[in-house]
Amino acid sequence: MLMRTDPFRELDRLAQQLTGSGTWSRPSAMAMDAYREGDEYVVAFDLPGVSAESIDIDVERNMLTVKAERRPVAKGDDVQMELSERPLGVFSRQLVLADTLDTERIKADYDAGVLTLRIPIAERAKPRKVSVSGTSSRKEISG
């Protein structure tokens, strides 16, 4: 098994706690995976605790923007918070999509805190066979 470590991960988490949550003018980043599956690209974003109604997906030309907001859970007057480590606020991620992707047919699904986008490869970008036409008759040369 290959282990990948990030020595700055803990430092980033501490910095986020000190500076507060993401805002609309300065959103926090969200974790993401991207891979190709058959004739489409799949992009998965981690958004645990975010309601589907607070997710906003925009595509302008080749720029895909995903924004989401995690709000605090409503608490009663008699609740005293003891520990709060789950980040709140606004999260955002922008991706530049290749011209070979069909941005008109993006499908979005949100399940178990994961937003999954499926972006088909455009028909014009798929490999295709080109037929060769020509004359099949031969001329015989007699000498």
Side-chain angles (χ1 to χ4, degrees):
M1 178 197 285
L2 178 64
M3 298 293 288
R4 186 175 138 189
T5 60
D6 182 359
F8 299 106
R9 184 177 203 168
E10 188 64 18
L11 184 61
D12 288 342
R13 187 183 68 76
L14 289 172
Q16 185 176 6
Q17 284 179 343
L18 292 173
T19 60
S21 304
T23 64
W24 282 106
S25 61
R26 190 171 190 168
S28 298
M30 60 185 85
M32 166 188 99
D33 288 337
Y35 53 93
R36 182 173 175 168
E37 186 176 272
D39 285 341
E40 60 188 7
Y41 275 92
V42 180
V43 186
F45 300 91
D46 279 350
L47 293 170
V50 172
S51 68
E53 296 79 33
S54 75
I55 299 173
D56 186 37
I57 304 168
D58 288 315
V59 178
E60 186 176 335
R61 294 188 183 156
N62 288 11
M63 181 67 71
L64 172 77
T65 304
V66 177
K67 278 191 176 182
E69 185 174 9
R70 183 181 303 127
R71 297 178 183 200
V73 178
K75 298 172 187 69
D77 293 336
D78 61 341
V79 174
Q80 182 178 348
M81 181 63 77
E82 295 290 330
L83 180 65
S84 179
E85 292 183 345
R86 297 175 10 181
L88 301 173
V90 180
F91 301 86
S92 179
R93 194 76 186 245
Q94 287 189 315
L95 301 172
V96 177
L97 302 177
D99 290 333
T100 57
L101 298 178
D102 187 351
T103 58
E104 299 292 323
R105 298 184 332 169
I106 296 175
K107 294 178 193 164
D109 180 51
Y110 184 62
D111 184 41
V114 178
L115 172 66
T116 304
L117 302 181
R118 296 186 171 275
I119 311 166
I121 296 173
E123 289 297 321
R124 69 184 187 292
K126 291 180 182 176
R128 60 190 177 283
K129 293 283 187 185
V130 176
S131 62
V132 178
S133 62
T135 58
S136 59
S137 61
R138 295 184 182 179
K139 291 185 178 181
E140 288 187 29
I141 301 175
S142 53

